[in-house]
Protein backbone atom coordinates (compact mmCIF):
# COMPACT_ATOMS: atom_id res chain seq x y z
CA UNK A 1 0.00 0.00 0.00
CA UNK A 2 1.39 3.43 -0.94
CA UNK A 3 1.77 6.32 1.46
CA UNK A 4 -1.13 8.10 -0.27
CA UNK A 5 -3.36 5.02 0.14
CA UNK A 6 -2.50 4.84 3.85
CA UNK A 7 -3.34 8.51 4.37
CA UNK A 8 -6.66 8.08 2.54
CA UNK A 9 -7.52 5.03 4.70
CA UNK A 10 -6.73 6.98 7.89
CA UNK A 11 -8.91 9.87 6.70
CA UNK A 12 -11.86 7.54 6.08
CA UNK A 13 -11.39 5.94 9.51
CA UNK A 14 -11.48 9.39 11.10
CA UNK A 15 -14.71 10.23 9.28
CA UNK A 16 -16.30 6.96 10.46
CA UNK A 17 -15.29 7.66 14.06
CA UNK A 18 -16.71 11.19 13.80
CA UNK A 19 -19.97 9.83 12.41
CA UNK A 20 -20.26 7.31 15.28
CA UNK A 21 -19.77 10.01 17.92
CA UNK A 22 -22.09 12.63 16.39
CA UNK A 23 -25.54 12.77 18.10
CA UNK A 24 -28.40 12.27 15.65
CA UNK A 25 -30.69 15.22 14.99
CA UNK A 26 -33.75 14.80 17.25
CA UNK A 27 -36.67 17.12 16.60
CA UNK A 28 -39.00 15.53 19.17
CA UNK A 29 -36.61 14.38 21.87
CA UNK A 30 -35.64 16.73 24.69
CA UNK A 31 -33.32 15.68 27.47
CA UNK A 32 -35.59 15.29 30.46
CA UNK A 33 -34.78 12.08 32.36
CA UNK A 34 -37.57 10.28 34.17
CA UNK A 35 -37.16 10.50 37.92
CA UNK A 36 -38.45 8.24 40.64
CA UNK A 37 -41.40 9.16 42.78
CA UNK A 38 -41.06 8.73 46.50
CA UNK A 39 -43.74 7.65 48.96
CA UNK A 40 -42.78 8.29 52.56
CA UNK A 41 -44.50 8.45 55.92
CA UNK A 42 -45.90 11.87 56.73
CA UNK A 43 -45.91 13.29 53.21
CA UNK A 44 -49.00 15.20 52.08
CA UNK A 45 -51.20 14.40 49.11
CA UNK A 46 -49.87 17.52 47.43
CA UNK A 47 -46.30 16.34 47.87
CA UNK A 48 -47.19 12.94 46.43
CA UNK A 49 -48.87 14.45 43.37
CA UNK A 50 -45.94 16.84 42.89
CA UNK A 51 -43.61 13.83 43.01
CA UNK A 52 -45.66 12.22 40.25
CA UNK A 53 -44.20 14.89 37.99
CA UNK A 54 -40.87 13.03 38.08
CA UNK A 55 -42.52 9.85 36.79
CA UNK A 56 -44.17 8.87 33.53
CA UNK A 57 -47.37 7.33 32.14
CA UNK A 58 -50.44 7.96 34.35
CA UNK A 59 -48.50 9.58 37.19
CA UNK A 60 -47.31 12.38 34.91
CA UNK A 61 -50.92 13.04 33.84
CA UNK A 62 -52.08 13.26 37.45
CA UNK A 63 -49.33 15.78 38.19
CA UNK A 64 -50.27 17.87 35.16
CA UNK A 65 -53.95 17.79 36.12
CA UNK A 66 -53.07 18.93 39.63
CA UNK A 67 -51.12 21.87 38.17
CA UNK A 68 -53.96 22.92 35.87
CA UNK A 69 -56.56 22.58 38.62
CA UNK A 70 -54.48 24.61 41.08
CA UNK A 71 -53.94 27.39 38.53
CA UNK A 72 -57.66 27.41 37.74
CA UNK A 73 -58.66 27.60 41.43
CA UNK A 74 -56.10 30.32 42.13
CA UNK A 75 -57.34 32.52 39.28
CA UNK A 76 -59.84 34.86 40.93
CA UNK A 77 -61.09 35.99 37.51
CA UNK A 78 -61.92 32.43 36.45
CA UNK A 79 -65.52 31.19 36.42
CA UNK A 80 -65.36 27.49 37.32
CA UNK A 81 -67.87 24.95 36.01
CA UNK A 82 -67.99 21.53 37.69
CA UNK A 83 -69.50 18.65 35.72
CA UNK A 84 -70.40 15.65 37.88
CA UNK A 85 -71.58 12.36 36.37
CA UNK A 86 -71.59 8.80 37.66
CA UNK A 87 -72.54 7.51 41.10
CA UNK A 88 -70.40 10.03 42.93
CA UNK A 89 -72.77 10.73 45.82
CA UNK A 90 -73.57 7.07 46.61
CA UNK A 91 -69.84 6.31 46.44
CA UNK A 92 -68.99 8.85 49.15
CA UNK A 93 -67.79 11.88 47.15
CA UNK A 94 -70.63 14.14 48.34
CA UNK A 95 -68.71 16.10 50.97
CA UNK A 96 -65.84 16.88 48.58
CA UNK A 97 -68.27 18.60 46.20
CA UNK A 98 -70.21 20.49 48.89
CA UNK A 99 -66.94 21.71 50.44
CA UNK A 100 -65.74 22.98 47.05
CA UNK A 101 -68.97 24.93 46.66
CA UNK A 102 -68.95 26.37 50.18
CA UNK A 103 -65.30 27.36 49.92
CA UNK A 104 -65.87 29.31 46.73
CA UNK A 105 -64.16 27.07 44.20
CA UNK A 106 -67.24 26.35 42.05
CA UNK A 107 -69.43 28.88 40.25
CA UNK A 108 -71.81 26.44 38.54
CA UNK A 109 -72.54 22.72 38.91
CA UNK A 110 -73.85 20.50 36.12
CA UNK A 111 -74.86 17.06 37.36
CA UNK A 112 -77.30 14.19 37.06
CA UNK A 113 -80.70 13.77 38.63
CA UNK A 114 -79.40 10.59 40.24
CA UNK A 115 -76.68 12.45 42.15
CA UNK A 116 -79.24 15.02 43.30
CA UNK A 117 -81.61 12.22 44.35
CA UNK A 118 -78.99 10.45 46.44
CA UNK A 119 -77.77 13.77 47.82
CA UNK A 120 -81.27 14.58 49.09
CA UNK A 121 -81.71 11.09 50.57
CA UNK A 122 -78.65 11.61 52.75
CA UNK A 123 -79.65 15.18 53.62
CA UNK A 124 -82.96 14.03 55.12
CA UNK A 125 -81.47 11.13 57.08
CA UNK A 126 -81.02 8.19 54.70
CA UNK A 127 -77.71 6.38 54.35
CA UNK A 128 -75.93 4.37 51.70
CA UNK A 129 -74.23 1.23 52.98
CA UNK A 130 -71.17 -0.83 52.16
CA UNK A 131 -72.17 -3.89 50.18
CA UNK A 132 -70.59 -6.40 47.84
CA UNK A 133 -70.74 -7.12 44.15
CA UNK A 134 -71.54 -10.79 44.62
CA UNK A 135 -72.09 -13.55 47.14
CA UNK A 136 -69.48 -16.31 46.66
CA UNK A 137 -72.11 -18.93 47.54
CA UNK A 138 -74.56 -17.71 44.89
CA UNK A 139 -74.55 -16.98 41.21
CA UNK A 140 -74.44 -13.30 40.24
CA UNK A 141 -78.11 -13.44 39.29
CA UNK A 142 -79.12 -15.16 42.53
CA UNK A 143 -77.26 -12.51 44.52
CA UNK A 144 -79.21 -9.65 42.96
CA UNK A 145 -82.49 -11.57 43.03
CA UNK A 146 -81.97 -11.92 46.78
CA UNK A 147 -81.38 -8.20 47.15
CA UNK A 148 -84.55 -7.55 45.15
CA UNK A 149 -86.56 -9.74 47.54
CA UNK A 150 -85.04 -7.91 50.52
CA UNK A 151 -85.83 -4.46 49.11
CA UNK A 152 -82.23 -3.38 48.65
CA UNK A 153 -80.89 -1.58 45.57
CA UNK A 154 -77.26 -2.19 44.54
CA UNK A 155 -74.86 0.34 43.01
CA UNK A 156 -71.80 -1.84 42.39
CA UNK A 157 -70.59 -2.41 45.98
CA UNK A 158 -72.96 0.09 47.62
CA UNK A 159 -76.39 -0.82 48.99
CA UNK A 160 -79.41 1.44 49.47
CA UNK A 161 -82.63 0.26 51.18
CA UNK A 162 -85.63 1.07 48.99
CA UNK A 163 -87.57 2.74 51.80
CA UNK A 164 -85.26 5.73 51.41
CA UNK A 165 -86.82 6.39 48.01
CA UNK A 166 -90.26 6.48 49.64
CA UNK A 167 -88.95 9.03 52.13
CA UNK A 168 -87.49 11.04 49.25
CA UNK A 169 -90.84 11.01 47.45
CA UNK A 170 -92.52 12.34 50.58
CA UNK A 171 -89.85 15.01 50.92
CA UNK A 172 -90.48 16.23 47.38
CA UNK A 173 -94.26 16.21 47.70
CA UNK A 174 -94.29 17.93 51.09
CA UNK A 175 -91.31 20.27 51.04
CA UNK A 176 -90.30 20.97 47.44
CA UNK A 177 -93.00 20.70 44.76
CA UNK A 178 -95.79 22.64 46.59
CA UNK A 179 -93.46 25.59 47.20
CA UNK A 180 -92.52 25.69 43.51
CA UNK A 181 -96.14 25.33 42.42
CA UNK A 182 -97.08 28.30 44.59
CA UNK A 183 -94.12 30.41 43.40
CA UNK A 184 -92.56 29.01 40.20
CA UNK A 185 -89.90 31.73 40.13
CA UNK A 186 -88.93 32.31 43.78
CA UNK A 187 -86.00 34.59 42.92
CA UNK A 188 -87.90 36.67 40.39
CA UNK A 189 -84.88 36.69 38.08
CA UNK A 190 -86.50 35.41 34.89
CA UNK A 191 -89.65 35.87 32.87
CA UNK A 192 -92.26 33.27 33.70
CA UNK A 193 -93.18 31.37 30.56
CA UNK A 194 -96.55 30.27 31.85
CA UNK A 195 -98.47 29.29 34.98
CA UNK A 196 -96.69 26.61 36.93
CA UNK A 197 -93.64 26.55 34.65
CA UNK A 198 -90.41 26.00 36.60
CA UNK A 199 -86.82 25.98 35.40
CA UNK A 200 -84.68 23.01 36.41
CA UNK A 201 -82.28 25.40 38.13
CA UNK A 202 -85.18 26.70 40.23
CA UNK A 203 -86.11 23.10 41.08
CA UNK A 204 -82.57 22.28 42.24
CA UNK A 205 -82.36 25.55 44.17
CA UNK A 206 -85.61 24.79 46.00
CA UNK A 207 -84.48 21.20 46.55
CA UNK A 208 -81.30 22.48 48.20
CA UNK A 209 -83.24 24.89 50.41
CA UNK A 210 -85.62 22.14 51.50
CA UNK A 211 -82.76 19.67 52.10
CA UNK A 212 -81.05 22.17 54.41
CA UNK A 213 -84.27 23.01 56.24
CA UNK A 214 -85.22 19.39 56.94
CA UNK A 215 -81.61 18.51 57.79
CA UNK A 216 -81.57 21.21 60.47
CA UNK A 217 -85.13 20.64 61.68
CA UNK A 218 -84.64 16.89 62.16
CA UNK A 219 -81.09 17.31 63.49
CA UNK A 220 -79.67 14.93 60.88
CA UNK A 221 -76.07 14.04 61.68
CA UNK A 222 -75.02 14.01 58.02
CA UNK A 223 -74.03 17.20 56.16
CA UNK A 224 -76.99 18.76 54.27
CA UNK A 225 -75.08 18.15 51.06
CA UNK A 226 -74.41 19.40 47.57
CA UNK A 227 -77.73 21.01 46.61
CA UNK A 228 -77.98 22.65 50.04
CA UNK A 229 -74.48 24.12 49.73
CA UNK A 230 -75.29 25.42 46.25
CA UNK A 231 -78.55 26.99 47.40
CA UNK A 232 -76.82 28.56 50.39
CA UNK A 233 -73.97 29.99 48.27
CA UNK A 234 -76.15 31.02 45.32
CA UNK A 235 -74.35 28.60 43.00
CA UNK A 236 -76.68 27.40 40.22
CA UNK A 237 -77.14 23.66 39.75
CA UNK A 238 -78.08 22.53 36.26
CA UNK A 239 -79.47 19.07 35.59
CA UNK A 240 -80.07 18.81 31.82
CA UNK A 241 -81.30 15.19 31.94
CA UNK A 242 -83.28 15.42 35.17
CA UNK A 243 -86.01 13.16 33.75
CA UNK A 244 -83.46 10.32 33.71
CA UNK A 245 -83.70 9.88 37.49
CA UNK A 246 -86.04 9.26 40.39
CA UNK A 247 -86.14 13.04 40.89
CA UNK A 248 -87.38 13.43 37.32
CA UNK A 249 -89.86 10.60 37.64
CA UNK A 250 -91.34 12.16 40.77
CA UNK A 251 -91.55 15.57 39.09
CA UNK A 252 -93.41 13.99 36.17
CA UNK A 253 -95.81 12.14 38.48
CA UNK A 254 -96.52 15.28 40.48
CA UNK A 255 -97.18 17.21 37.26
CA UNK A 256 -99.99 14.78 36.32
CA UNK A 257 -102.28 16.23 38.98
CA UNK A 258 -100.77 19.66 39.68
CA UNK A 259 -100.12 22.95 37.93
CA UNK A 260 -96.44 22.16 37.64
CA UNK A 261 -94.19 21.89 34.58
CA UNK A 262 -90.42 21.80 34.15
CA UNK A 263 -88.91 23.91 31.36
CA UNK A 264 -85.94 21.95 30.03
CA UNK A 265 -84.61 24.85 27.90
CA UNK A 266 -84.79 27.73 30.35
CA UNK A 267 -81.48 26.90 32.04
CA UNK A 268 -79.55 27.25 28.81
CA UNK A 269 -79.96 31.03 28.84
CA UNK A 270 -78.71 31.34 32.40
CA UNK A 271 -75.76 28.99 31.82
CA UNK A 272 -74.79 30.68 28.56
CA UNK A 273 -74.93 34.13 30.20
CA UNK A 274 -72.62 32.90 32.93
CA UNK A 275 -70.10 31.68 30.36
CA UNK A 276 -70.51 34.79 28.19
CA UNK A 277 -69.76 37.15 31.09
CA UNK A 278 -66.73 35.22 32.39
CA UNK A 279 -63.32 36.90 32.19
CA UNK A 280 -61.66 33.47 32.21
CA UNK A 281 -63.44 30.11 32.24
CA UNK A 282 -62.44 26.69 33.48
CA UNK A 283 -64.09 23.31 33.90
CA UNK A 284 -63.54 20.18 35.94
CA UNK A 285 -65.26 17.26 34.22
CA UNK A 286 -65.85 14.24 36.46
CA UNK A 287 -67.07 11.42 34.25
CA UNK A 288 -68.81 12.03 30.95
CA UNK A 289 -72.34 11.73 29.68
CA UNK A 290 -74.82 14.58 29.46
CA UNK A 291 -73.22 16.75 32.18
CA UNK A 292 -69.88 16.79 30.35
CA UNK A 293 -71.37 17.76 26.99
CA UNK A 294 -73.79 20.28 28.49
CA UNK A 295 -70.83 21.99 30.19
CA UNK A 296 -68.61 21.99 27.11
CA UNK A 297 -71.22 22.88 24.48
CA UNK A 298 -72.04 26.13 26.27
CA UNK A 299 -68.94 27.64 24.69
CA UNK A 300 -70.28 27.02 21.19
CA UNK A 301 -72.68 29.95 21.52
CA UNK A 302 -70.27 32.40 23.16
CA UNK A 303 -67.34 34.31 21.63
CA UNK A 304 -64.95 32.52 23.95
CA UNK A 305 -63.90 29.02 25.06
CA UNK A 306 -62.49 27.38 28.17
CA UNK A 307 -59.07 28.54 29.32
CA UNK A 308 -58.65 25.59 31.68
CA UNK A 309 -60.03 22.06 31.54
CA UNK A 310 -59.40 18.90 33.56
CA UNK A 311 -61.28 15.67 33.01
CA UNK A 312 -61.38 12.40 34.91
CA UNK A 313 -62.64 9.45 32.89
CA UNK A 314 -62.27 5.71 32.42
CA UNK A 315 -63.69 5.66 28.91
CA UNK A 316 -61.48 5.12 25.83
CA UNK A 317 -61.53 7.68 23.03
CA UNK A 318 -61.46 5.06 20.27
CA UNK A 319 -65.17 4.28 20.60
CA UNK A 320 -66.03 7.79 19.43
CA UNK A 321 -68.24 8.34 22.46
CA UNK A 322 -68.47 11.66 24.27
CA UNK A 323 -67.46 10.28 27.66
CA UNK A 324 -64.06 9.18 26.40
CA UNK A 325 -63.50 12.05 23.98
CA UNK A 326 -60.25 13.85 24.66
CA UNK A 327 -60.03 17.52 25.54
CA UNK A 328 -57.89 17.95 22.43
CA UNK A 329 -60.90 16.82 20.43
CA UNK A 330 -62.99 19.42 22.28
CA UNK A 331 -60.45 22.04 21.18
CA UNK A 332 -61.22 21.20 17.55
CA UNK A 333 -64.86 22.14 18.20
CA UNK A 334 -63.93 25.48 19.72
CA UNK A 335 -64.89 24.41 23.24
CA UNK A 336 -61.34 25.02 24.49
CA UNK A 337 -59.12 27.94 23.59
CA UNK A 338 -56.19 26.98 21.36
CA UNK A 339 -53.79 27.89 24.18
CA UNK A 340 -55.95 26.47 26.98
CA UNK A 341 -54.25 24.48 29.72
CA UNK A 342 -55.85 21.06 29.89
CA UNK A 343 -55.15 17.60 31.26
CA UNK A 344 -56.95 14.25 31.28
CA UNK A 345 -56.67 11.62 33.99
CA UNK A 346 -57.75 8.07 33.24
CA UNK A 347 -58.92 6.24 36.32
CA UNK A 348 -61.65 5.71 38.88
CA UNK A 349 -63.04 9.12 39.85
CA UNK A 350 -63.61 7.96 43.43
CA UNK A 351 -59.82 7.60 43.65
CA UNK A 352 -58.67 10.46 41.43
CA UNK A 353 -61.07 13.24 42.43
CA UNK A 354 -60.13 13.38 46.13
CA UNK A 355 -56.43 13.20 45.25
CA UNK A 356 -56.58 16.02 42.71
CA UNK A 357 -58.76 18.26 44.86
CA UNK A 358 -56.56 17.77 47.93
CA UNK A 359 -53.41 18.48 45.93
CA UNK A 360 -54.83 21.55 44.21
CA UNK A 361 -56.26 23.01 47.41
CA UNK A 362 -52.97 22.42 49.19
CA UNK A 363 -51.16 24.48 46.56
CA UNK A 364 -53.74 27.27 46.56
CA UNK A 365 -54.34 27.52 50.28
Amino acid sequence: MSDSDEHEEEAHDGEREEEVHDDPHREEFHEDPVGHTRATAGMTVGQLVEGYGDAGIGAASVNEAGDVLAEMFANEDCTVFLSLAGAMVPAGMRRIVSDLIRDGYVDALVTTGANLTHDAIEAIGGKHHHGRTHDPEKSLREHDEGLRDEGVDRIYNVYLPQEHFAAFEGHLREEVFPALEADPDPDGDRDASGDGVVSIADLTRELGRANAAVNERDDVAEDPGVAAAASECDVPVYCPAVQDSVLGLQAWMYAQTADFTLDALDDMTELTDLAFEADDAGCLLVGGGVPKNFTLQTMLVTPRAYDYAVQITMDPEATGGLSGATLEEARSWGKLEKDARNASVYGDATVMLPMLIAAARERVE
Side-chain angles (χ1 to χ4, degrees):
M1 180 181 296
S2 66
D3 288 344
S4 61
D5 290 338
E6 288 180 4
H7 288 309
E8 188 175 343
E9 182 78 19
E10 289 173 1
H12 284 307
D13 288 343
E15 288 176 5
R16 282 195 293 269
E17 287 178 8
E18 189 176 343
E19 287 175 4
V20 169
H21 288 95
D22 277 350
D23 290 332
H25 175 68
R26 290 168 173 158
E27 189 70 30
E28 173 66 21
F29 178 82
H30 301 283
E31 187 174 344
D32 184 14
V34 171
H36 298 280
T37 301
R38 298 193 67 197
T40 60
M43 73 189 312
T44 66
V45 176
Q47 290 169 336
L48 178 63
V49 171
E50 185 176 357
Y52 280 179
D54 294 328
I57 309 183
S61 298
V62 172
N63 172 266
E64 184 180 11
D67 277 345
V68 176
L69 206 54
E71 185 175 325
M72 182 172 75
F73 285 165
N75 185 347
E76 295 182 359
D77 295 325
C78 184
T79 300
V80 176
F81 298 78
L82 171 59
S83 165
L84 192 72
M88 301 307 291
V89 170
M93 301 294 108
R94 179 174 180 259
R95 189 62 183 265
I96 291 174
V97 178
S98 62
D99 283 347
L100 280 176
I101 293 171
R102 288 196 178 93
D103 294 337
Y105 289 109
V106 174
D107 297 294
L109 171 65
V110 182
T111 191
T112 62
N115 274 318
L116 292 173
T117 295
H118 292 278
D119 175 59
I121 285 173
E122 295 232 353
I124 63 176
K127 291 297 295 182
H128 297 84
H129 299 266
H130 290 285
R132 54 184 179 176
T133 59
H134 65 281
D135 183 337
E137 297 183 358
K138 298 179 180 178
S139 70
L140 296 178
R141 177 166 180 163
E142 288 170 341
H143 173 60
D144 286 302
E145 286 176 345
L147 290 174
R148 169 75 174 270
D149 292 340
E150 294 174 11
V152 175
D153 294 325
R154 180 171 73 87
I155 307 169
Y156 191 59
N157 60 0
V158 174
Y159 290 166
L160 180 66
Q162 289 179 359
E163 58 265 24
H164 292 324
F165 285 110
F168 175 61
E169 178 184 353
H171 176 60
L172 292 175
R173 287 182 169 272
E174 294 167 16
E175 307 287 344
V176 180
F177 293 152
L180 286 170
E181 186 179 8
D183 186 4
D185 184 20
D187 291 338
D189 58 357
R190 65 186 180 90
D191 295 327
S193 56
D195 292 339
V197 177
V198 177
S199 76
I200 297 173
D202 282 338
L203 168 62
T204 60
R205 189 177 296 112
E206 184 63 26
L207 177 64
R209 182 210 60 77
N211 290 353
V214 172
N215 186 273
E216 182 178 3
R217 183 193 70 199
D218 295 348
D219 196 25
V220 177
E222 188 58 64
D223 180 87
V226 174
S231 178
E232 171 191 331
C233 299
D234 199 25
V235 170
V237 178
Y238 304 108
C239 187
V242 66
Q243 56 268 54
D244 182 31
S245 67
V246 173
L247 173 60
L249 280 172
Q250 290 300 326
W252 171 75
M253 291 174 66
Y254 188 81
Q256 303 309 299
T257 57
D259 187 15
F260 177 83
T261 304
L262 285 178
D263 184 346
L265 297 179
D266 190 77
D267 292 346
M268 298 183 74
T269 301
E270 186 178 319
L271 180 62
T272 302
D273 286 348
L274 190 63
F276 196 96
E277 295 165 4
D279 292 324
D280 294 322
C283 60
L284 170 57
L285 310 169
V286 182
V290 173
K292 175 183 176 181
N293 192 61
F294 197 69
T295 301
L296 289 175
Q297 77 170 12
T298 300
M299 293 303 175
L300 295 179
V301 288
T302 70
R304 58 164 310 109
Y306 283 109
D307 302 284
Y308 306 96
V310 172
Q311 77 166 346
I312 304 172
T313 184
M314 291 182 70
D315 292 278
E317 62 173 304
T319 63
L322 185 279
S323 295
T326 65
L327 293 174
E328 284 69 27
E329 183 178 312
R331 182 179 277 106
S332 79
W333 287 75
K335 298 171 182 177
L336 268 65
E337 296 287 357
K338 287 185 177 180
D339 61 351
R341 290 204 65 193
N342 61 276
S344 296
V345 174
Y346 293 88
D348 183 344
T350 64
V351 177
M352 296 302 180
L353 180 64
M355 180 183 295
L356 288 174
I357 295 300
R361 294 192 62 161
E362 185 177 326
R363 298 183 195 187
V364 174
E365 299 170 12

